[in-house]
Amino acid sequence: MNLFEIPAHRPFLDDLAHGVLAMVGGAAGGGDPAALARTTILLPTRRAARALREAFLKASGAQALLLPRLRALAGLSTEDAEELSLPVLLDQPPAVDPARRLAVLTDMVMRLPPTFGGPGSPDQAWRLAQELATLMDEMALEGCSPDKLPDLVAGDLAQHWEITHRFLTAAIQQWNGWLEEQGLMDIGPRRVAALRAQAEAWKARPPADPVIAAGIGMGGTIPAAVDLLRIIARLPNGAVVLHGAGEEMDAALWEHLRDAHSHPLNGVARLLRGLDATAGDLRPWPGLAPDAPAPNAARAALLARALRPEQGIACWQDLDSERWRPALDGLDLLTAPDEAGEATAIALLLREALETPGARAALVTPDRDLARRVSVELARHGVLADDSAGQPLGHTPAGAFLRLIARMVDEGFAPVPLLACLKHPLCAAGWSRMDWMNAVRALERRVLRGPRPGPGLDGLRAAMEAALAEPERDESERGRERRLEDRDRLRRLLDRLEAALGRFRELDARVRPPADLLADHLSAAEALASDDDRPGGMRLYAGEEGEPLAVHLASLEPAMRALPPLEARAWPPLFDALLEGPLAPGVRNMRGRKGASHPRVQILGLLEARLQSFDRVVLGALEESVWPIATDPGAWMSRPMRIAFGLPAPEARIGRVCADFVLSALAAPRATLSRARKRAGSPTVAARWITRIETFLKGQALGPMEASPASGWAGLLDVPDQARPCTRPSPAPPAHLRPRRLSITDVWLLKADPYAWYARRVLGLRPLDDLDAQADAAEYGNIVHAMVAEWLRLCDGDPWCERAVAHFGDALETSLAAHAPRPGLMAYWRPRLSRIAEFVLATERARSHVARRHTEVVGELLLEGGVTLYGRADRVDLLADGSLAILDFKTGEPPTGAKMTDGREPQLPLEAAMAARGAFAGIPAAAVSELAHWKVSGGWEAGEVHLFKPRGTTLEEVTENTLIGVEALVRDFLLSDRPFIARPHPDRSPKGGEFDHLSRIREWGGATGGDA
């Protein structure tokens, strides 16, 4: 039997290439030049086949070669089986399309009642069908008969297992019947048929040319592949090449390894049993590479010793520290505080490796999030490295655009998903990209900032018309022109959006065929992707991901016809699941731009890293439940059921990833084991292999592994070598350039935070409202003010008018419609507003001493230096005795009398001072006898009146003192060159803080500048 081994610490592919060249006559010729081309080599992955090409080129001394036939034989994908290209496969029925298979299985799963564990939505059914398909593939690959399913629930198990397996048995029978009707063959059985057909063909007619199976079996092999390897090992020119064990082990220990599912050699031990061989039958592989990196046999022995099964760890008591000390050369441990720090440190290690000319470095990890983070961090150093796992189609620009369209419609054109879709680089809807973006920005600024508009395109139109119908305060002629231009532009934008979406503009509870939803979705996407130069299809499928995406979407159309009709609103999550997979045959995740990634840096998954060699390797995310991955028996069987049925135990996956750990740690002279103390904010547990290695080293009196310095580098990366503080912001424009108008609502802001006032009134800055902001107290207060003002207008200021109650109802609806809140808020606010209306009506009728009511009155008062103090009063009432009463409506808590007296809440006292001087239009100058806040919350207490009664002084003194303070403030900041600094007095707290980031208040928080 031709069984060979390459030591675990050796570069497997380099040694394999030298050995193969030696078998067929050497690299320099001297034999048949076509002999190498007639050789067939079976490898575990396509990436290994590509790497072996490079190894042959290196071994040949860069001479031209006719390469062997390199084939991937993982036995885990349709393409792997089809690569054998057997004529006998032509007699087999074609394989079912993966997407169509899932659609048929999803239909079956959806028939399972929810009370018995059935799915709650089509996308959940699709994912459950994926697990069912995976189980059926496992059954086929492992040779398990469905006839044994009823026997699995014969014991005292929970009732849901009996229901599940009854459904599982029926589903498999129905599925096999469907395949027979369609003249198709399932994917798993066809893979097995291909492997068995190849084995029979080579058994019947042994090939005259060499056939070599290399690197297969470290993670376990399916029975059909084992039969094929048995035939290859017995061919006259055949060979099966495996990895070595790392250290010598006796036959008894090898027997234990067959049942030690979590051991890295468990797969090799089971393969040897399937080949009717033992470890003693493994012969050294001839022709090892002479120029390979210095082998680290000591590290291989250390890992083999530390990871021994429990039956073989008695040797841990043999103390021999000098033997194991060399094993630590080039091996260190990186422990980062979190996943972000781990990614930064790993990127620095990979970047450091590139300082050595020709050196190759790699990150090996099963954690795709860590892989993406490291890729981003490497770009910071000018190194582009693509994740070998690729980018899912749903995450590519075109795939994301398709998903955003569905999400936008599903969420009723809410601001965030709407803008995410409309601002996507592919979106133009037939316009030029510049015109489209100008319109979208106007939509965002005018309509979408603040509370959410009503649902659907109709809600957007209503919000747009309401926002652009009324002029803004102090609107200039140019501002009016811009507002009208924006209104016309937004009308055309919404009309174009509606036309482009077509039948896809609404996803409701109506039942529709999924194929029709897919067609409408893609039609809308192409219409939105078009611009003034190219049709939508040319832009949507133009990128590198365009062809794979188009092929995959085309394969979904027949699959969707196999699904039953579903509610249209269930389409977006189902479409997300469709993009996740399975992908159409020949379609794979995107691997990044060709030729763009760095040739000497790789980011690999566990499968892709097998058989590879590097100069520096980092093993990332070595934490329990990440590497090794958590064992999950799946949705259809428990762990004991899988074992009784004949399927591999879930723990066998740990053995596979442990083999990947060992081979990756031996893949380079310099290896770093990396983990994070916290991941996603939760503490982590180091991978069991790190714990075993450290425990063994501690027992050998060698202490822990050397700590990698990269974590310290990461901490210093963003720390400046010297602090260079900037001066405190203190703008001081000349007096003649400062504003000559001051609002009464800005008085306290100017006093408490001059810099914020400068940013708002001098620079003209205004913070944008949040997208999809919660309708807060300010919005509610605006509605209350509008309602009361509209009621007084309808009643002509007379609360005893004949239709006073009806007018309040009309005013309520008018104010709600003007501010266009969401229907849910209208339902919540309407009863509160009704209670407020009752309170206001009753209170107004009780105020019989009021002669005339003036609402929303604008006033201006000229101060010294030509500065105008202006403001708007909610209410100014002329009383029967000739004095005035000034009212202010508050939906929140009114200010205290102390704050009104000392100037912290100067609005009402200043309005009183202005009214006493005749500053309000249409209201003669008169003494103010009443200042009051009406608290109108609409809660349990609909409202209450807070009358201002100053203590130890008079109302007139309070108003005059407040005005004197304003005049002093004007002289200090508007008529002089005094700088505007942020919060000069520590005891004055302004409202808001929208400009704190500009004033860098956190940097200067401990500094004070005296009184303002």
Side-chain angles (χ1 to χ4, degrees), residues 171-189:
I172 292 176
Q173 292 175 351
Q174 185 177 351
W175 169 244
N176 291 331
W178 183 87
L179 288 172
E180 186 175 353
E181 291 176 3
Q182 301 293 323
L184 299 172
M185 192 173 184
D186 204 0
I187 296 174

Side-chain angles (χ1 to χ4, degrees), residues 344-345 348-349 352 616 670 708-718:
T344 303
L348 288 170
L349 287 173
E352 181 202 27
R616 150 76 81 176
R670 301 172 62 195
S708 171
S711 183
W713 300 344
L716 297 174
L717 191 61
D718 295 319

Side-chain angles (χ1 to χ4, degrees), residues 3 14 66 132 169 207 237 423 503 568 636 703 783 817 891 928 990:
L3 294 177
D14 289 341
L66 294 175
L132 177 57
T169 302
N237 293 319
K423 288 187 175 183
R503 292 182 299 177
W636 298 100
I783 293 179
T891 54
V928 177

Side-chain angles (χ1 to χ4, degrees), residues 393-458:
L393 286 180
H395 294 176
T396 61
F401 181 54
L402 291 169
R403 296 170 58 210
L404 287 172
I405 294 173
R407 181 186 170 200
M408 171 184 69
V409 179
D410 181 48
E411 297 192 20
F413 299 89
V416 173
L418 174 65
L419 287 178
C421 180
L422 300 188
K423 288 187 175 183
H424 192 281
L426 287 174
C427 196
W431 293 9
S432 71
R433 180 65 180 168
M434 180 178 295
D435 290 343
W436 178 261
M437 285 306 300
N438 288 336
V440 171
R441 292 188 183 104
L443 178 69
E444 176 184 359
R445 185 177 65 255
R446 298 280 193 178
V447 181
L448 301 180
R449 290 285 175 174
R452 177 186 296 190
L457 289 171
D458 292 338

Side-chain angles (χ1 to χ4, degrees), residues 626-639:
V626 181
W627 188 1
I629 191 171
T631 57
D632 181 12
W636 298 100
M637 289 187 184
S638 64
R639 181 177 281 99

Side-chain angles (χ1 to χ4, degrees), residues 41-52:
I41 303 179
L42 304 180
L43 295 157
T45 65
R46 288 185 177 84
R47 181 174 289 269
R50 291 193 296 269
L52 184 57

Side-chain angles (χ1 to χ4, degrees), residues 368-595:
R368 304 274 54 87
D369 177 66
L370 177 62
R372 286 188 290 269
R373 286 176 180 268
V374 172
S375 181
V376 172
E377 290 292 334
L378 282 172
R380 178 180 184 179
H381 305 294
V383 178
L384 297 180
D386 292 321
D387 182 4
S388 67
Q391 186 179 30
L393 286 180
H395 294 176
T396 61
F401 181 54
L402 291 169
R403 296 170 58 210
L404 287 172
I405 294 173
R407 181 186 170 200
M408 171 184 69
V409 179
D410 181 48
E411 297 192 20
F413 299 89
V416 173
L418 174 65
L419 287 178
C421 180
L422 300 188
K423 288 187 175 183
H424 192 281
L426 287 174
C427 196
W431 293 9
S432 71
R433 180 65 180 168
M434 180 178 295
D435 290 343
W436 178 261
M437 285 306 300
N438 288 336
V440 171
R441 292 188 183 104
L443 178 69
E444 176 184 359
R445 185 177 65 255
R446 298 280 193 178
V447 181
L448 301 180
R449 290 285 175 174
R452 177 186 296 190
L457 289 171
D458 292 338
L460 278 178
R461 285 195 176 92
M464 183 268 294
E465 296 293 347
L468 296 175
E470 295 295 330
E472 298 179 358
R473 183 178 297 179
D474 300 329
E475 184 179 58
S476 63
E477 182 62 26
R478 179 55 186 151
R480 177 179 177 277
E481 292 177 1
R482 285 198 299 266
R483 177 169 56 84
L484 296 180
E485 289 174 1
D486 284 345
R487 183 171 64 180
D488 293 339
R489 179 187 296 158
L490 295 185
R491 285 174 177 173
R492 290 187 291 112
L493 171 73
L494 296 179
D495 290 342
R496 187 70 193 96
L497 178 60
E498 183 174 12
L501 290 173
R503 292 182 299 177
F504 198 69
R505 64 178 176 269
E506 186 176 3
L507 295 175
D508 50 23
R510 288 179 296 176
V511 176
R512 297 182 59 191
D516 292 352
L517 288 168
L518 176 63
D520 293 343
H521 189 174
L522 298 184
S523 176
E526 292 186 9
L528 286 174
S530 64
D531 61 10
D532 59 344
D533 185 46
R534 289 181 296 170
M538 294 292 292
R539 297 185 71 236
L540 185 62
Y541 306 116
E544 188 178 357
E545 74 277 6
E547 182 179 354
L549 180 63
V551 172
H552 179 61
L553 293 175
S555 73
L556 292 180
E557 193 274 338
M560 292 301 95
R561 297 194 182 281
L563 279 178
L566 49 85
E567 291 184 357
R569 61 189 175 191
W571 174 252
L574 176 59
F575 184 73
D576 287 349
L578 295 177
L579 288 186
E580 293 173 5
L583 303 181
V587 177
R588 293 181 176 83
N589 289 337
M590 298 305 301
R591 298 298 177 98
R593 299 291 178 186
K594 295 180 180 179

